[in-house]
Amino acid sequence: MKIILTGACGFIGSCFLGYLNKKGIEDIILVDRINEKKRKNIENKKFKDYYDKDEFIQKIEEKRFDKNFDFLIHLGACTNTREKNVEYILKNNFIYSKKLAVFCLENDIEFIYASSAATYGKEEKNFFDEEENIENLIPVNLYGLSKNIFDLWVVLNKFHNKFVGLKFFNVYGTNEEHKGEMRSIISKGYEQITQTGKIKLFKSYRKEYKDGEQKRDFVYVKDVCEVIWFFMENRKKKGIFNVGTGKARSFNEVAEILFKYLGKKKNIEYIDMPIDMKESYQYFTQANIEKLRSAGYKNGFMELEEGIKNFIQSQKVHL
């Protein structure tokens, strides 16, 4: 099996690289824009070659890249939900994705790509991943918009019958450190508690949510890898699918679980939300995974308690 993996040095990409290695797969071309922090994510992992993102794009545009691949797993994107540069984010998340999709279509390569729950915006009931629903979504930040535009391009061209798009909800796990403030609250909270003994959570600005009671569908990265692998094993399954646990949990619960497994006394500080986030902040996300189940995915998803415990154990191994 020959694979191209974009975003390979990032969070989900590097975890999936490790997942593939455990299955004995090493014929993998990595594509990314590496730096010292991200380099750590691929240490001791096995792959055939590495290409800088720009070099890779140039090669496929000039039709100088090997076409003999089974899969292109596209996990590379600008994931900064606070990015304000329209040209930059559309170039990275829409135009780049289109070029890869066309490359796969022209060369009969299976294309699996990362979408996002950010496409759903602030709507707290409309988490349905049916293709006809995509044009009704109203993302509230540039990141979500860029992901939704690509989903819409896929659907309007009927490529959802040829590709697999995965709408990741709040993924957490190892190898997040390079993301800084864009890390999950699990990763940031672990660092805050181990270094200062307390965790910082955003205050709520809606009366129906108390401070820290904002909720997310937190999904462990190992489960995400299992879902990607499912679609690699079941090539006839196509479409756009939510990837989450189907169960929303509050930030307060995350904090309590972290304190419990770190053996620390609970100490939560509620802080002001940055002004630029207030209007676009999602107070609730919860994946509807009926479509994923209907496609035949039967594996369970880790409960938040198990996932956080697993994450803490993995962090101690890295020390």
Side-chain angles (χ1 to χ4, degrees):
M1 186 182 294
K2 296 182 67 176
I3 300 167
I4 300 170
L5 179 62
T6 72
C9 306
F11 168 35
I12 300 175
S14 63
C15 289
F16 191 61
L17 174 60
Y19 180 92
L20 292 171
N21 284 173
K22 287 180 180 178
K23 290 191 173 293
I25 299 171
E26 300 175 10
D27 196 350
I28 308 165
I29 301 294
L30 308 190
V31 179
D32 209 324
R33 184 164 291 150
I34 202 165
N35 56 40
E36 282 305 311
K37 289 184 178 180
K38 291 166 73 174
R39 187 184 299 276
K40 295 177 182 178
N41 290 346
I42 59 171
E43 285 180 355
N44 303 317
K45 294 184 173 70
K46 297 179 180 180
F47 52 93
K48 185 175 182 180
D49 207 348
Y50 167 85
Y51 285 90
D52 177 81
K53 174 186 169 183
D54 290 339
E55 180 187 9
F56 175 67
I57 285 293
Q58 185 176 353
K59 281 183 176 292
I60 66 170
E61 285 179 338
E62 296 173 354
K63 301 188 184 302
R64 293 190 295 114
F65 200 85
D66 181 9
K67 303 170 185 176
N68 186 27
F69 286 90
D70 299 293
F71 290 94
L72 195 162
I73 312 298
H74 180 35
L75 304 176
C78 170
T79 58
N80 186 349
T81 57
R82 298 173 68 182
E83 179 61 57
K84 305 300 182 187
N85 187 322
V86 177
E87 183 180 357
Y88 173 79
I89 204 161
L90 289 180
K91 178 181 178 181
N92 279 276
N93 293 4
F94 177 56
I95 297 172
Y96 178 39
S97 299
K98 274 208 306 182
K99 288 178 180 178
L100 299 184
V102 171
F103 171 71
C104 289
L105 285 170
E106 290 176 345
N107 298 290
D108 198 26
I109 299 170
E110 299 285 343
F111 185 58
I112 300 175
Y113 73 92
S115 183
S116 171
T119 57
Y120 290 112
K122 291 194 292 185
E123 173 60 56
E124 296 177 4
K125 298 178 181 178
N126 189 22
F127 296 106
F128 297 103
D129 49 6
E130 296 300 331
E131 282 79 14
E132 59 267 24
N133 187 44
I134 288 171
E135 63 181 327
N136 299 320
L137 301 181
I138 307 174
V140 287
N141 57 42
L142 274 178
Y143 168 71
L145 179 63
S146 68
K147 288 292 189 178
N148 197 60
I149 289 173
F150 184 69
D151 286 342
L152 194 56
W153 177 81
V154 168
V155 171
L156 290 176
N157 286 283
K158 302 190 185 313
F159 295 149
H160 56 285
N161 297 317
K162 299 177 182 293
F163 302 153
V164 174
L166 301 175
K167 285 181 178 280
F168 297 139
F169 277 64
N170 282 70
V171 187
Y172 68 96
T174 55
N175 295 2
E176 286 192 72
E177 290 76 15
H178 67 281
K179 295 179 68 177
E181 283 301 307
M182 290 299 110
R183 288 178 291 168
S184 71
I185 188 60
I186 288 89
S187 178
K188 285 194 287 188
Y190 170 83
E191 183 178 274
Q192 290 172 8
I193 294 169
T194 53
Q195 292 183 1
T196 70
K198 69 179 178 181
I199 189 172
K200 295 180 180 181
L201 301 178
F202 287 137
K203 294 177 182 176
S204 172
Y205 297 89
R206 289 172 54 177
K207 60 183 180 180
E208 64 267 40
Y209 289 92
K210 294 181 180 179
D211 290 343
E213 287 302 304
Q214 306 95 318
K215 292 185 176 182
R216 293 282 187 277
D217 190 330
F218 297 102
V219 56
Y220 196 43
V221 69
K222 287 185 178 179
D223 288 331
V224 167
C225 291
E226 291 284 354
V227 172
I228 298 172
W229 181 250
F230 167 80
F231 285 103
M232 292 177 71
E233 284 194 305
N234 296 272
R235 298 191 186 194
K236 292 183 179 180
K237 307 289 185 181
K238 306 294 181 186
I240 297 174
F241 301 86
N242 285 335
V243 181
T245 66
K247 184 177 182 181
R249 302 289 294 271
S250 73
F251 286 91
N252 282 334
E253 287 180 284
V254 169
E256 289 168 4
I257 296 166
L258 281 167
F259 282 113
K260 175 183 175 181
Y261 287 123
L262 287 170
K264 304 279 188 179
K265 183 180 178 181
K266 185 169 76 170
N267 183 3
I268 302 174
E269 177 186 354
Y270 297 103
I271 62 173
D272 293 333
M273 190 181 295
I275 294 174
D276 67 318
M277 289 180 60
K278 286 184 179 180
E279 289 302 313
S280 61
Y281 187 78
Q282 289 177 300
Y283 275 74
F284 179 90
T285 67
Q286 181 171 280
N288 181 316
I289 56 173
E290 291 179 8
K291 189 175 171 187
L292 181 65
R293 294 301 190 199
S294 296
Y297 188 75
K298 294 183 170 57
N299 291 9
F301 289 90
M302 278 194 195
E303 291 289 336
L304 187 60
E305 289 80 359
E306 182 185 1
I308 290 178
K309 185 176 181 180
N310 194 300
F311 167 74
I312 291 172
Q313 289 171 343
S314 70
Q315 291 302 102
K316 291 178 179 179
V317 169
H318 284 188
L319 294 176

